[in-house]
Amino acid sequence: MWQSVLRSSWLVLVVMGAPLLGASSIGAPVQAQSWADIGNYSSLLRRAGTQTLVAKDCPSGLFGAFHTGRNVLLLCSNNLQDDPAQVWTVLAHESAHVMQHCQQGPLLPDHLIGSALAQIEKQSLSSFQELRLYHQSQRRDEIEARLVQGLPMAEVKALFRGFCGDRLRRLAPKNSAVEGLGDG
């Protein structure tokens, strides 16, 4: 499904907003095995120009957010458990919003949204139901982010390189290739 998306370039405005994940959405299978995995992926985001921050004073229930205008991804440590799997789920979800920002629009073509919804419902009925909490203008972005958060780390990294690869090449040091930066 994603391979066709990686070769496309739709220019649709990204809806700005900070997503609020429900607690039941965090129960995804382990995607990151260690804090080093999370650190490596965070480094990849930073190399593409996205600032990553950790806050200890987020409102209750907010696990993370992405601010499009400032290109800042925020993780809320006061609402997250000290668990790489939970942190990875939130990081992957928010990085999908970074990818939407890089893409300047949606990640999936319109005809695949129904399949994405079916996949989310199959993975987590509660996550599927929580999509109703979002305004219609944010729903598509959230569908894509919830789909990404359920993917294995290697696939999320590949998607990020596909959607934000031009930023990695543009911001890479002149004396090293992007692939040689040791980001796992």
Side-chain angles (χ1 to χ4, degrees), residues 1 108 110-129 131 142-144 146-147:
M1 173 179 352
L108 288 173
D110 292 342
H111 71 278
L112 291 179
I113 292 299
S115 299
L117 277 169
Q119 181 66 26
I120 293 165
E121 184 176 24
K122 190 168 83 172
Q123 289 173 345
S124 169
L125 182 59
S126 59
S127 184
F128 175 78
Q129 291 170 339
L131 288 168
E142 289 305 313
I143 290 168
E144 292 175 344
R146 286 169 190 264
L147 188 62

Side-chain angles (χ1 to χ4, degrees), residues 19-61:
L20 177 68
L21 287 175
S24 57
S25 301
I26 301 300
V30 173
Q31 304 293 324
Q33 298 298 321
S34 69
W35 292 110
D37 289 342
I38 290 166
N40 287 338
Y41 188 64
S42 295
S43 292
L44 181 65
L45 292 168
R46 286 189 300 275
R47 282 196 305 275
T50 299
Q51 187 177 7
T52 56
L53 301 174
V54 177
K56 297 178 182 178
D57 60 351
C58 293
S60 178

Side-chain angles (χ1 to χ4, degrees), residues 2 5 8-16 66 68 95-110 113 137-138 140-145 148 159 163-164 167:
W2 289 101
V5 175
S8 305
S9 60
W10 297 278
L11 298 175
V12 178
L13 293 176
V14 172
V15 177
M16 296 197 326
F66 175 65
T68 303
S95 75
H97 295 305
V98 176
M99 293 178 223
Q100 291 162 338
H101 179 62
C102 290
Q103 179 73 5
Q104 297 180 355
L107 306 179
L108 288 173
D110 292 342
I113 292 299
S137 65
Q138 292 178 304
R140 182 191 181 111
D141 289 347
E142 289 305 313
I143 290 168
E144 292 175 344
V148 169
L159 285 173
F163 287 113
C164 299
R167 290 180 181 205

Side-chain angles (χ1 to χ4, degrees), residues 51-112:
Q51 187 177 7
T52 56
L53 301 174
V54 177
K56 297 178 182 178
D57 60 351
C58 293
S60 178
L62 182 65
F63 296 109
F66 175 65
H67 189 281
T68 303
R70 294 183 180 177
N71 196 18
V72 173
L73 186 149
L74 176 72
L75 295 174
C76 298
S77 66
N78 60 307
N79 295 323
L80 293 170
Q81 298 170 9
D82 191 23
D83 173 19
Q86 185 187 44
V87 173
W88 167 252
T89 299
V90 176
L91 183 61
H93 178 102
E94 298 306 332
S95 75
H97 295 305
V98 176
M99 293 178 223
Q100 291 162 338
H101 179 62
C102 290
Q103 179 73 5
Q104 297 180 355
L107 306 179
L108 288 173
D110 292 342
H111 71 278
L112 291 179

